[in-house]
Amino acid sequence: MKVWIDQDLCTGDGLCEEIAPDVFFGLDDGLFYVKESAGKFGEEKLFDGEANPAGAEGTARIPDGLDEAVIEAAEECPGECIFIEV
Ligand code: SF4
């Protein structure tokens, strides 16, 4: 499964990071992003400090064992802006 966030709809409340801190994080712009960058798609490596692209360009593989947390985050997201692709 893969996940991305539409930052145009993100409210910046941080609920996604509370639910799945290994997958989502906030930047100084007040918006939230997927940690694993599209450039690392398919690798096991998580976020290494580089900003992830916004929107669908930031689509990334969900790390093993975190599918349920990401699904919960998407269900709880008030902006309805976390998109999961199977
Ligand atoms: S839960 Fe949704 S609206 Fe809230 S910060 Fe995360 S992506 Fe943005």
Side-chain angles (χ1 to χ4, degrees):
M1 285 175 32
K2 306 172 201 171
V3 63
W4 61 281
I5 292 175
D6 184 346
Q7 281 76 20
D8 288 343
L9 301 174
C10 177
T11 68
D13 58 86
L15 202 57
C16 51
E17 186 176 32
E18 283 181 32
I19 295 171
D22 289 333
V23 178
F24 304 110
F25 76 119
L27 286 182
D28 291 344
D29 61 7
L31 301 175
F32 282 72
Y33 294 81
V34 178
K35 284 186 172 179
E36 186 179 19
S37 76
K40 299 183 182 70
F41 178 77
E43 296 181 15
E44 295 296 324
K45 191 175 175 187
L46 282 173
F47 180 65
D48 64 4
E50 294 177 17
N52 199 45
E57 279 184 36
T59 302
R61 181 189 59 82
I62 299 172
D64 294 341
L66 296 177
D67 289 358
E68 284 188 17
V70 170
I71 290 169
E72 182 185 347
E75 289 174 347
E76 299 294 328
C77 171
E80 299 184 356
C81 55
I82 297 175
F83 296 93
I84 295 171
E85 298 177 3
V86 180

